[in-house]
Amino acid sequence: MPRHLASCFLLLVSLFLQAGCVSYQLGPSSGLEAGAQTIEIAPFPNQTEEPRLSPVVASAMRRQIQSDGTFQLDTRRKGDLKVTGQITEYLRVGVTFQPGDISTIRDFELRMTARVKVQNRRTGEVMLDRPVTGRTLIRAFNDLASAERQALPSLADDLAQNITDMIVDGAW
């Protein structure tokens, strides 16, 4: 291949690759400067009969907000945004059954739903007020209670990720 054709080919490939990355940006996807606003996360009261959900969700929410980096976590109750909510539903739904025995469930989907409210402290505007659901799968084996207990952090992480995505991306 002649030298000028090779350099034209490389130029075209370079332009093509750059055009594919035009919509990508570094930093938060909301357009806000990282850490410019603070956010307070209040504990979510548990309205279900399943114990131990509230502290696990609170921990997952704080971890998710910190790892995202869009907002600075405020623990002194003076954040620009205040996140409140309540855990309203905890479900265990059978998704697969033992081969040859349609009455014995092998895998369950755990679902946890929280009614989440995000309010701008300065303006009083409610920016988000809706239910959000987290999900995870577990294999029942012989001890369903142990399997659920081990899956609870994963379930809370999924719920916290979904809530954080809505807050950060402005899905209200």
Side-chain angles (χ1 to χ4, degrees):
M1 181 181 288
R3 187 174 190 117
H4 72 282
L5 286 177
S7 56
C8 285
F9 177 74
L10 287 175
L11 178 64
L12 285 174
V13 168
S14 173
L15 289 173
F16 178 74
L17 290 175
Q18 288 175 357
C21 299
V22 166
S23 65
Y24 289 103
Q25 63 181 8
L26 293 176
S29 59
S30 63
L32 298 171
E33 182 181 330
Q37 286 190 314
T38 58
I39 190 167
E40 174 195 342
I41 300 169
F44 287 22
N46 183 3
Q47 304 297 318
T48 72
E49 294 184 17
E50 185 68 27
R52 303 177 308 274
L53 297 179
S54 189
V56 179
V57 170
S59 177
M61 280 297 301
R62 288 183 180 95
R63 207 173 35 252
Q64 214 44 254
I65 290 292
Q66 286 176 323
S67 70
D68 178 82
T70 301
F71 298 100
Q72 181 179 351
L73 186 61
D74 188 336
T75 57
R76 301 194 194 287
R77 305 199 185 282
K78 297 180 181 180
D80 298 322
L81 300 178
K82 182 175 182 178
V83 180
T84 57
Q86 56 185 317
I87 302 166
T88 58
E89 187 175 59
Y90 181 87
L91 292 175
R92 180 185 319 110
V93 179
V95 290
T96 63
F97 298 87
Q98 292 290 356
D101 182 6
I102 60 168
S103 64
T104 305
I105 300 172
R106 180 170 47 178
D107 297 311
F108 288 92
E109 179 183 67
L110 298 179
R111 295 181 198 159
M112 183 171 18
T113 302
R115 180 83 189 180
V116 181
K117 183 177 176 182
V118 179
Q119 188 170 13
N120 185 320
R121 264 219 179 134
R122 291 183 213 154
T123 65
E125 174 190 8
V126 175
M127 303 166 76
L128 176 71
D129 187 3
R130 63 177 285 189
V132 182
T133 301
R135 295 176 170 82
T136 194
L137 293 173
I138 61 169
R139 172 85 24 119
F141 292 116
N142 295 329
D143 189 3
L144 180 59
S146 291
E148 280 190 62
R149 195 170 39 256
Q150 291 173 359
L152 189 55
S154 174
L155 178 60
D157 285 342
D158 188 60
L159 177 64
Q161 179 68 55
N162 294 341
I163 294 169
T164 301
D165 288 347
M166 286 184 177
I167 295 169
V168 169
D169 294 338
W172 43 69

mmCIF file of all heavy atoms in Angstrom, residues 60-107:
data_model
loop_
_atom_site.group_PDB
_atom_site.id
_atom_site.type_symbol
_atom_site.label_atom_id
_atom_site.label_comp_id
_atom_site.label_asym_id
_atom_site.label_seq_id
_atom_site.Cartn_x
_atom_site.Cartn_y
_atom_site.Cartn_z
ATOM 1 N N ALA A 60 -25.936 0.953 52.668
ATOM 2 C CA ALA A 60 -25.771 0.822 51.215
ATOM 3 C C ALA A 60 -25.962 2.174 50.516
ATOM 4 O O ALA A 60 -25.229 2.495 49.575
ATOM 5 C CB ALA A 60 -26.759 -0.203 50.662
ATOM 6 N N MET A 61 -26.934 2.960 50.974
ATOM 7 C CA MET A 61 -27.167 4.283 50.377
ATOM 8 C C MET A 61 -25.945 5.185 50.555
ATOM 9 O O MET A 61 -25.516 5.851 49.610
ATOM 10 C CB MET A 61 -28.392 4.954 51.003
ATOM 11 C CG MET A 61 -29.717 4.494 50.468
ATOM 12 S SD MET A 61 -29.944 4.871 48.718
ATOM 13 C CE MET A 61 -29.766 6.644 48.711
ATOM 14 N N ARG A 62 -25.402 5.221 51.745
ATOM 15 C CA ARG A 62 -24.228 6.070 51.999
ATOM 16 C C ARG A 62 -23.035 5.620 51.158
ATOM 17 O O ARG A 62 -22.337 6.444 50.569
ATOM 18 C CB ARG A 62 -23.891 6.054 53.487
ATOM 19 C CG ARG A 62 -24.900 6.820 54.304
ATOM 20 C CD ARG A 62 -24.527 6.856 55.789
ATOM 21 N NE ARG A 62 -25.528 7.606 56.522
ATOM 22 C CZ ARG A 62 -26.557 7.051 57.152
ATOM 23 N NH1 ARG A 62 -26.710 5.739 57.171
ATOM 24 N NH2 ARG A 62 -27.436 7.802 57.786
ATOM 25 N N ARG A 63 -22.826 4.326 51.098
ATOM 26 C CA ARG A 63 -21.712 3.780 50.308
ATOM 27 C C ARG A 63 -21.879 4.119 48.823
ATOM 28 O O ARG A 63 -20.926 4.520 48.149
ATOM 29 C CB ARG A 63 -21.673 2.269 50.526
ATOM 30 C CG ARG A 63 -20.359 1.637 50.365
ATOM 31 C CD ARG A 63 -20.301 0.152 50.757
ATOM 32 N NE ARG A 63 -21.481 -0.635 50.491
ATOM 33 C CZ ARG A 63 -22.311 -1.088 51.437
ATOM 34 N NH1 ARG A 63 -22.093 -0.801 52.704
ATOM 35 N NH2 ARG A 63 -23.357 -1.816 51.115
ATOM 36 N N GLN A 64 -23.101 3.993 48.325
ATOM 37 C CA GLN A 64 -23.370 4.254 46.907
ATOM 38 C C GLN A 64 -23.166 5.734 46.557
ATOM 39 O O GLN A 64 -22.578 6.057 45.531
ATOM 40 C CB GLN A 64 -24.805 3.827 46.624
ATOM 41 C CG GLN A 64 -25.120 3.272 45.299
ATOM 42 C CD GLN A 64 -24.144 2.284 44.748
ATOM 43 O OE1 GLN A 64 -23.414 2.646 43.854
ATOM 44 N NE2 GLN A 64 -24.115 1.062 45.209
ATOM 45 N N ILE A 65 -23.652 6.635 47.409
ATOM 46 C CA ILE A 65 -23.478 8.076 47.178
ATOM 47 C C ILE A 65 -22.000 8.430 47.200
ATOM 48 O O ILE A 65 -21.519 9.192 46.355
ATOM 49 C CB ILE A 65 -24.263 8.904 48.226
ATOM 50 C CG1 ILE A 65 -25.770 8.784 47.993
ATOM 51 C CG2 ILE A 65 -23.813 10.352 48.260
ATOM 52 C CD1 ILE A 65 -26.287 9.433 46.719
ATOM 53 N N GLN A 66 -21.255 7.880 48.139
ATOM 54 C CA GLN A 66 -19.826 8.175 48.229
ATOM 55 C C GLN A 66 -19.066 7.637 47.028
ATOM 56 O O GLN A 66 -18.189 8.311 46.488
ATOM 57 C CB GLN A 66 -19.237 7.600 49.518
ATOM 58 C CG GLN A 66 -19.647 8.387 50.736
ATOM 59 C CD GLN A 66 -19.138 7.765 52.013
ATOM 60 O OE1 GLN A 66 -19.087 6.551 52.152
ATOM 61 N NE2 GLN A 66 -18.761 8.609 52.965
ATOM 62 N N SER A 67 -19.402 6.433 46.586
ATOM 63 C CA SER A 67 -18.657 5.868 45.450
ATOM 64 C C SER A 67 -19.020 6.552 44.135
ATOM 65 O O SER A 67 -18.200 6.622 43.228
ATOM 66 C CB SER A 67 -18.881 4.361 45.352
ATOM 67 O OG SER A 67 -20.191 4.068 44.959
ATOM 68 N N ASP A 68 -20.241 7.079 44.015
ATOM 69 C CA ASP A 68 -20.625 7.798 42.801
ATOM 70 C C ASP A 68 -19.842 9.099 42.668
ATOM 71 O O ASP A 68 -19.366 9.432 41.590
ATOM 72 C CB ASP A 68 -22.128 8.074 42.808
ATOM 73 C CG ASP A 68 -22.571 8.857 41.595
ATOM 74 O OD1 ASP A 68 -22.768 8.242 40.532
ATOM 75 O OD2 ASP A 68 -22.687 10.106 41.700
ATOM 76 N N GLY A 69 -19.735 9.860 43.747
ATOM 77 C CA GLY A 69 -18.929 11.076 43.744
ATOM 78 C C GLY A 69 -19.613 12.340 43.254
ATOM 79 O O GLY A 69 -19.024 13.411 43.301
ATOM 80 N N THR A 70 -20.846 12.254 42.774
ATOM 81 C CA THR A 70 -21.541 13.449 42.307
ATOM 82 C C THR A 70 -21.844 14.387 43.462
ATOM 83 O O THR A 70 -21.685 15.600 43.351
ATOM 84 C CB THR A 70 -22.854 13.072 41.590
ATOM 85 O OG1 THR A 70 -22.539 12.221 40.492
ATOM 86 C CG2 THR A 70 -23.577 14.304 41.086
ATOM 87 N N PHE A 71 -22.286 13.834 44.571
ATOM 88 C CA PHE A 71 -22.627 14.613 45.752
ATOM 89 C C PHE A 71 -21.670 14.291 46.882
ATOM 90 O O PHE A 71 -21.163 13.179 46.985
ATOM 91 C CB PHE A 71 -24.059 14.295 46.217
ATOM 92 C CG PHE A 71 -25.109 14.644 45.207
ATOM 93 C CD1 PHE A 71 -25.655 13.670 44.392
ATOM 94 C CD2 PHE A 71 -25.551 15.946 45.077
ATOM 95 C CE1 PHE A 71 -26.621 13.986 43.465
ATOM 96 C CE2 PHE A 71 -26.524 16.272 44.145
ATOM 97 C CZ PHE A 71 -27.055 15.294 43.333
ATOM 98 N N GLN A 72 -21.487 15.269 47.738
ATOM 99 C CA GLN A 72 -20.693 15.056 48.944
ATOM 100 C C GLN A 72 -21.665 14.657 50.051
ATOM 101 O O GLN A 72 -22.657 15.345 50.297
ATOM 102 C CB GLN A 72 -19.950 16.342 49.311
ATOM 103 C CG GLN A 72 -19.082 16.201 50.534
ATOM 104 C CD GLN A 72 -18.357 17.499 50.843
ATOM 105 O OE1 GLN A 72 -18.375 18.443 50.058
ATOM 106 N NE2 GLN A 72 -17.743 17.546 51.994
ATOM 107 N N LEU A 73 -21.386 13.544 50.719
ATOM 108 C CA LEU A 73 -22.260 13.062 51.776
ATOM 109 C C LEU A 73 -22.161 13.970 52.986
ATOM 110 O O LEU A 73 -21.079 14.280 53.463
ATOM 111 C CB LEU A 73 -21.873 11.626 52.155
ATOM 112 C CG LEU A 73 -22.776 10.925 53.150
ATOM 113 C CD1 LEU A 73 -24.192 10.801 52.596
ATOM 114 C CD2 LEU A 73 -22.220 9.564 53.488
ATOM 115 N N ASP A 74 -23.317 14.427 53.475
ATOM 116 C CA ASP A 74 -23.365 15.313 54.637
ATOM 117 C C ASP A 74 -24.006 14.556 55.792
ATOM 118 O O ASP A 74 -25.154 14.139 55.708
ATOM 119 C CB ASP A 74 -24.193 16.561 54.314
ATOM 120 C CG ASP A 74 -24.130 17.609 55.407
ATOM 121 O OD1 ASP A 74 -23.849 17.247 56.562
ATOM 122 O OD2 ASP A 74 -24.363 18.783 55.109
ATOM 123 N N THR A 75 -23.273 14.388 56.871
ATOM 124 C CA THR A 75 -23.792 13.667 58.023
ATOM 125 C C THR A 75 -24.221 14.607 59.141
ATOM 126 O O THR A 75 -24.593 14.170 60.214
ATOM 127 C CB THR A 75 -22.737 12.688 58.564
ATOM 128 O OG1 THR A 75 -21.556 13.424 58.883
ATOM 129 C CG2 THR A 75 -22.414 11.625 57.532
ATOM 130 N N ARG A 76 -24.188 15.921 58.907
ATOM 131 C CA ARG A 76 -24.535 16.892 59.948
ATOM 132 C C ARG A 76 -25.937 17.485 59.757
ATOM 133 O O ARG A 76 -26.263 18.515 60.328
ATOM 134 C CB ARG A 76 -23.505 18.011 59.973
ATOM 135 C CG ARG A 76 -22.109 17.515 60.237
ATOM 136 C CD ARG A 76 -21.194 18.664 60.579
ATOM 137 N NE ARG A 76 -19.806 18.324 60.525
ATOM 138 C CZ ARG A 76 -19.160 17.574 61.390
ATOM 139 N NH1 ARG A 76 -19.803 17.034 62.380
ATOM 140 N NH2 ARG A 76 -17.876 17.340 61.261
ATOM 141 N N ARG A 77 -26.743 16.871 58.901
ATOM 142 C CA ARG A 77 -28.133 17.275 58.669
ATOM 143 C C ARG A 77 -28.276 18.688 58.104
ATOM 144 O O ARG A 77 -29.165 19.421 58.475
ATOM 145 C CB ARG A 77 -28.954 17.127 59.940
ATOM 146 C CG ARG A 77 -28.876 15.746 60.524
ATOM 147 C CD ARG A 77 -30.005 15.487 61.475
ATOM 148 N NE ARG A 77 -29.876 14.209 62.139
ATOM 149 C CZ ARG A 77 -30.156 13.033 61.613
ATOM 150 N NH1 ARG A 77 -30.554 12.941 60.383
ATOM 151 N NH2 ARG A 77 -30.023 11.938 62.311
ATOM 152 N N LYS A 78 -27.354 19.055 57.207
ATOM 153 C CA LYS A 78 -27.439 20.366 56.566
ATOM 154 C C LYS A 78 -27.211 20.271 55.061
ATOM 155 O O LYS A 78 -26.784 21.224 54.440
ATOM 156 C CB LYS A 78 -26.403 21.313 57.186
ATOM 157 C CG LYS A 78 -26.641 21.586 58.651
ATOM 158 C CD LYS A 78 -25.617 22.515 59.210
ATOM 159 C CE LYS A 78 -25.895 22.719 60.686
ATOM 160 N NZ LYS A 78 -24.983 23.589 61.347
ATOM 161 N N GLY A 79 -27.456 19.122 54.482
ATOM 162 C CA GLY A 79 -27.181 18.918 53.066
ATOM 163 C C GLY A 79 -28.066 19.758 52.163
ATOM 164 O O GLY A 79 -29.174 20.148 52.541
ATOM 165 N N ASP A 80 -27.572 20.047 50.951
ATOM 166 C CA ASP A 80 -28.374 20.768 49.962
ATOM 167 C C ASP A 80 -29.616 19.969 49.586
ATOM 168 O O ASP A 80 -30.692 20.524 49.369
ATOM 169 C CB ASP A 80 -27.546 21.041 48.703
ATOM 170 C CG ASP A 80 -26.338 21.916 48.977
ATOM 171 O OD1 ASP A 80 -26.458 22.854 49.792
ATOM 172 O OD2 ASP A 80 -25.272 21.667 48.376
ATOM 173 N N LEU A 81 -29.444 18.656 49.472
ATOM 174 C CA LEU A 81 -30.555 17.757 49.183
ATOM 175 C C LEU A 81 -30.761 16.834 50.373
ATOM 176 O O LEU A 81 -29.798 16.408 51.005
ATOM 177 C CB LEU A 81 -30.261 16.904 47.947
ATOM 178 C CG LEU A 81 -30.020 17.623 46.634
ATOM 179 C CD1 LEU A 81 -29.707 16.619 45.540
ATOM 180 C CD2 LEU A 81 -31.213 18.466 46.245
ATOM 181 N N LYS A 82 -32.010 16.529 50.663
ATOM 182 C CA LYS A 82 -32.320 15.594 51.741
ATOM 183 C C LYS A 82 -33.078 14.416 51.150
ATOM 184 O O LYS A 82 -34.100 14.595 50.492
ATOM 185 C CB LYS A 82 -33.155 16.262 52.827
ATOM 186 C CG LYS A 82 -33.438 15.321 53.972
ATOM 187 C CD LYS A 82 -34.161 16.007 55.098
ATOM 188 C CE LYS A 82 -34.360 14.998 56.242
ATOM 189 N NZ LYS A 82 -35.014 15.607 57.377
ATOM 190 N N VAL A 83 -32.553 13.221 51.404
ATOM 191 C CA VAL A 83 -33.179 11.989 50.929
ATOM 192 C C VAL A 83 -33.855 11.315 52.116
ATOM 193 O O VAL A 83 -33.209 11.008 53.117
ATOM 194 C CB VAL A 83 -32.137 11.036 50.314
ATOM 195 C CG1 VAL A 83 -32.804 9.757 49.837
ATOM 196 C CG2 VAL A 83 -31.400 11.708 49.167
ATOM 197 N N THR A 84 -35.150 11.113 51.994
ATOM 198 C CA THR A 84 -35.906 10.380 53.005
ATOM 199 C C THR A 84 -36.659 9.262 52.303
ATOM 200 O O THR A 84 -36.804 9.276 51.079
ATOM 201 C CB THR A 84 -36.916 11.285 53.741
ATOM 202 O OG1 THR A 84 -37.798 11.871 52.780
ATOM 203 C CG2 THR A 84 -36.218 12.374 54.531
ATOM 204 N N GLY A 85 -37.135 8.345 53.064
ATOM 205 C CA GLY A 85 -37.897 7.265 52.461
ATOM 206 C C GLY A 85 -38.336 6.270 53.502
ATOM 207 O O GLY A 85 -37.994 6.387 54.677
ATOM 208 N N GLN A 86 -39.081 5.307 53.050
ATOM 209 C CA GLN A 86 -39.476 4.212 53.914
ATOM 210 C C GLN A 86 -39.539 2.939 53.089
ATOM 211 O O GLN A 86 -39.924 2.962 51.918
ATOM 212 C CB GLN A 86 -40.794 4.502 54.615
ATOM 213 C CG GLN A 86 -41.944 4.830 53.726
ATOM 214 C CD GLN A 86 -43.154 5.220 54.541
ATOM 215 O OE1 GLN A 86 -43.457 4.594 55.548
ATOM 216 N NE2 GLN A 86 -43.857 6.240 54.105
ATOM 217 N N ILE A 87 -39.111 1.859 53.707
ATOM 218 C CA ILE A 87 -39.144 0.559 53.046
ATOM 219 C C ILE A 87 -40.574 0.051 53.149
ATOM 220 O O ILE A 87 -41.097 -0.154 54.242
ATOM 221 C CB ILE A 87 -38.146 -0.405 53.707
ATOM 222 C CG1 ILE A 87 -36.742 0.191 53.648
ATOM 223 C CG2 ILE A 87 -38.195 -1.769 53.019
ATOM 224 C CD1 ILE A 87 -35.736 -0.486 54.540
ATOM 225 N N THR A 88 -41.213 -0.121 52.006
ATOM 226 C CA THR A 88 -42.637 -0.438 51.992
ATOM 227 C C THR A 88 -42.951 -1.879 51.629
ATOM 228 O O THR A 88 -44.058 -2.352 51.896
ATOM 229 C CB THR A 88 -43.376 0.476 50.994
ATOM 230 O OG1 THR A 88 -42.799 0.305 49.693
ATOM 231 C CG2 THR A 88 -43.295 1.932 51.420
ATOM 232 N N GLU A 89 -41.980 -2.572 51.008
ATOM 233 C CA GLU A 89 -42.298 -3.923 50.544
ATOM 234 C C GLU A 89 -41.051 -4.786 50.521
ATOM 235 O O GLU A 89 -39.976 -4.344 50.117
ATOM 236 C CB GLU A 89 -42.904 -3.837 49.139
ATOM 237 C CG GLU A 89 -43.430 -5.122 48.596
ATOM 238 C CD GLU A 89 -44.110 -4.922 47.256
ATOM 239 O OE1 GLU A 89 -43.446 -4.449 46.318
ATOM 240 O OE2 GLU A 89 -45.306 -5.233 47.166
ATOM 241 N N TYR A 90 -41.217 -6.016 50.958
ATOM 242 C CA TYR A 90 -40.161 -7.029 50.881
ATOM 243 C C TYR A 90 -40.831 -8.297 50.390
ATOM 244 O O TYR A 90 -41.719 -8.838 51.064
ATOM 245 C CB TYR A 90 -39.519 -7.242 52.252
ATOM 246 C CG TYR A 90 -38.412 -8.264 52.242
ATOM 247 C CD1 TYR A 90 -37.111 -7.896 51.941
ATOM 248 C CD2 TYR A 90 -38.668 -9.599 52.533
ATOM 249 C CE1 TYR A 90 -36.085 -8.834 51.930
ATOM 250 C CE2 TYR A 90 -37.659 -10.540 52.520
ATOM 251 C CZ TYR A 90 -36.375 -10.150 52.225
ATOM 252 O OH TYR A 90 -35.355 -11.075 52.215
ATOM 253 N N LEU A 91 -40.448 -8.758 49.212
ATOM 254 C CA LEU A 91 -41.092 -9.927 48.609
ATOM 255 C C LEU A 91 -40.072 -11.002 48.270
ATOM 256 O O LEU A 91 -38.940 -10.714 47.885
ATOM 257 C CB LEU A 91 -41.810 -9.538 47.305
ATOM 258 C CG LEU A 91 -43.023 -8.656 47.397
ATOM 259 C CD1 LEU A 91 -43.504 -8.278 46.001
ATOM 260 C CD2 LEU A 91 -44.133 -9.356 48.151
ATOM 261 N N ARG A 92 -40.536 -12.223 48.353
ATOM 262 C CA ARG A 92 -39.770 -13.390 47.931
ATOM 263 C C ARG A 92 -40.621 -14.084 46.869
ATOM 264 O O ARG A 92 -41.726 -14.541 47.156
ATOM 265 C CB ARG A 92 -39.552 -14.305 49.135
ATOM 266 C CG ARG A 92 -38.786 -15.531 48.886
ATOM 267 C CD ARG A 92 -38.721 -16.442 50.125
ATOM 268 N NE ARG A 92 -38.519 -15.741 51.376
ATOM 269 C CZ ARG A 92 -39.450 -15.619 52.329
ATOM 270 N NH1 ARG A 92 -40.650 -16.130 52.174
ATOM 271 N NH2 ARG A 92 -39.181 -14.976 53.455
ATOM 272 N N VAL A 93 -40.128 -14.122 45.642
ATOM 273 C CA VAL A 93 -40.902 -14.670 44.533
ATOM 274 C C VAL A 93 -40.144 -15.852 43.935
ATOM 275 O O VAL A 93 -38.968 -15.724 43.572
ATOM 276 C CB VAL A 93 -41.124 -13.592 43.430
ATOM 277 C CG1 VAL A 93 -41.915 -14.158 42.271
ATOM 278 C CG2 VAL A 93 -41.806 -12.371 44.020
ATOM 279 N N GLY A 94 -40.809 -17.001 43.834
ATOM 280 C CA GLY A 94 -40.180 -18.178 43.220
ATOM 281 C C GLY A 94 -40.013 -17.976 41.731
ATOM 282 O O GLY A 94 -40.945 -17.550 41.046
ATOM 283 N N VAL A 95 -38.814 -18.284 41.232
ATOM 284 C CA VAL A 95 -38.565 -18.110 39.793
ATOM 285 C C VAL A 95 -38.206 -19.416 39.083
ATOM 286 O O VAL A 95 -38.474 -19.553 37.899
ATOM 287 C CB VAL A 95 -37.483 -17.041 39.508
ATOM 288 C CG1 VAL A 95 -37.991 -15.654 39.821
ATOM 289 C CG2 VAL A 95 -36.204 -17.308 40.242
ATOM 290 N N THR A 96 -37.581 -20.369 39.783
ATOM 291 C CA THR A 96 -37.322 -21.678 39.166
ATOM 292 C C THR A 96 -37.698 -22.776 40.156
ATOM 293 O O THR A 96 -37.675 -22.574 41.376
ATOM 294 C CB THR A 96 -35.843 -21.856 38.743
ATOM 295 O OG1 THR A 96 -35.014 -21.812 39.893
ATOM 296 C CG2 THR A 96 -35.417 -20.811 37.735
ATOM 297 N N PHE A 97 -38.000 -23.934 39.617
ATOM 298 C CA PHE A 97 -38.453 -25.058 40.431
ATOM 299 C C PHE A 97 -37.520 -26.245 40.241
ATOM 300 O O PHE A 97 -36.798 -26.328 39.240
ATOM 301 C CB PHE A 97 -39.888 -25.433 40.044
ATOM 302 C CG PHE A 97 -40.857 -24.308 40.292
ATOM 303 C CD1 PHE A 97 -41.080 -23.331 39.330
ATOM 304 C CD2 PHE A 97 -41.521 -24.214 41.493
ATOM 305 C CE1 PHE A 97 -41.956 -22.290 39.557
ATOM 306 C CE2 PHE A 97 -42.403 -23.165 41.737
ATOM 307 C CZ PHE A 97 -42.621 -22.215 40.775
ATOM 308 N N GLN A 98 -37.553 -27.178 41.204
ATOM 309 C CA GLN A 98 -36.737 -28.388 41.102
ATOM 310 C C GLN A 98 -37.191 -29.183 39.876
ATOM 311 O O GLN A 98 -38.396 -29.307 39.630
ATOM 312 C CB GLN A 98 -36.903 -29.262 42.352
ATOM 313 C CG GLN A 98 -36.322 -28.678 43.606
ATOM 314 C CD GLN A 98 -34.799 -28.658 43.589
ATOM 315 O OE1 GLN A 98 -34.142 -29.152 42.679
ATOM 316 N NE2 GLN A 98 -34.237 -28.044 44.612
ATOM 317 N N PRO A 99 -36.252 -29.701 39.110
ATOM 318 C CA PRO A 99 -36.640 -30.538 37.956
ATOM 319 C C PRO A 99 -37.476 -31.736 38.421
ATOM 320 O O PRO A 99 -37.125 -32.417 39.373
ATOM 321 C CB PRO A 99 -35.301 -30.999 37.376
ATOM 322 C CG PRO A 99 -34.296 -30.025 37.895
ATOM 323 C CD PRO A 99 -34.812 -29.563 39.221
ATOM 324 N N GLY A 100 -38.593 -31.942 37.792
ATOM 325 C CA GLY A 100 -39.461 -33.061 38.127
ATOM 326 C C GLY A 100 -40.358 -32.822 39.337
ATOM 327 O O GLY A 100 -41.105 -33.711 39.726
ATOM 328 N N ASP A 101 -40.271 -31.634 39.961
ATOM 329 C CA ASP A 101 -41.091 -31.341 41.143
ATOM 330 C C ASP A 101 -41.505 -29.871 41.089
ATOM 331 O O ASP A 101 -40.796 -28.998 41.580
ATOM 332 C CB ASP A 101 -40.304 -31.634 42.414
ATOM 333 C CG ASP A 101 -41.113 -31.387 43.673
ATOM 334 O OD1 ASP A 101 -42.329 -31.101 43.570
ATOM 335 O OD2 ASP A 101 -40.530 -31.476 44.767
ATOM 336 N N ILE A 102 -42.662 -29.600 40.510
ATOM 337 C CA ILE A 102 -43.065 -28.205 40.305
ATOM 338 C C ILE A 102 -43.584 -27.524 41.566
ATOM 339 O O ILE A 102 -43.945 -26.361 41.537
ATOM 340 C CB ILE A 102 -44.135 -28.090 39.193
ATOM 341 C CG1 ILE A 102 -45.368 -28.893 39.562
ATOM 342 C CG2 ILE A 102 -43.556 -28.505 37.864
ATOM 343 C CD1 ILE A 102 -46.548 -28.614 38.682
ATOM 344 N N SER A 103 -43.581 -28.237 42.693
ATOM 345 C CA SER A 103 -44.028 -27.604 43.933
ATOM 346 C C SER A 103 -42.853 -27.141 44.801
ATOM 347 O O SER A 103 -43.053 -26.424 45.771
ATOM 348 C CB SER A 103 -44.924 -28.553 44.728
ATOM 349 O OG SER A 103 -44.188 -29.687 45.120
ATOM 350 N N THR A 104 -41.631 -27.537 44.470
ATOM 351 C CA THR A 104 -40.455 -27.153 45.255
ATOM 352 C C THR A 104 -39.677 -26.071 44.516
ATOM 353 O O THR A 104 -39.133 -26.315 43.437
ATOM 354 C CB THR A 104 -39.552 -28.369 45.524
ATOM 355 O OG1 THR A 104 -40.326 -29.388 46.155
ATOM 356 C CG2 THR A 104 -38.383 -27.975 46.414
ATOM 357 N N ILE A 105 -39.611 -24.904 45.105
ATOM 358 C CA ILE A 105 -38.909 -23.775 44.483
ATOM 359 C C ILE A 105 -37.414 -23.903 44.732
ATOM 360 O O ILE A 105 -36.979 -24.154 45.853
ATOM 361 C CB ILE A 105 -39.444 -22.437 45.023
ATOM 362 C CG1 ILE A 105 -40.940 -22.312 44.704
ATOM 363 C CG2 ILE A 105 -38.663 -21.266 44.440
ATOM 364 C CD1 ILE A 105 -41.622 -21.131 45.344
ATOM 365 N N ARG A 106 -36.626 -23.713 43.687
ATOM 366 C CA ARG A 106 -35.173 -23.792 43.800
ATOM 367 C C ARG A 106 -34.550 -22.407 43.916
ATOM 368 O O ARG A 106 -33.668 -22.176 44.723
ATOM 369 C CB ARG A 106 -34.595 -24.519 42.584
ATOM 370 C CG ARG A 106 -33.095 -24.626 42.655
ATOM 371 C CD ARG A 106 -32.475 -25.522 41.644
ATOM 372 N NE ARG A 106 -32.961 -25.326 40.299
ATOM 373 C CZ ARG A 106 -32.507 -25.985 39.254
ATOM 374 N NH1 ARG A 106 -31.560 -26.874 39.398
ATOM 375 N NH2 ARG A 106 -32.991 -25.769 38.061
ATOM 376 N N ASP A 107 -35.000 -21.443 43.101
ATOM 377 C CA ASP A 107 -34.447 -20.092 43.111
ATOM 378 C C ASP A 107 -35.550 -19.079 43.379
ATOM 379 O O ASP A 107 -36.661 -19.200 42.863
ATOM 380 C CB ASP A 107 -33.792 -19.762 41.762
ATOM 381 C CG ASP A 107 -32.612 -20.669 41.457
ATOM 382 O OD1 ASP A 107 -31.755 -20.821 42.335
ATOM 383 O OD2 ASP A 107 -32.566 -21.221 40.336
#
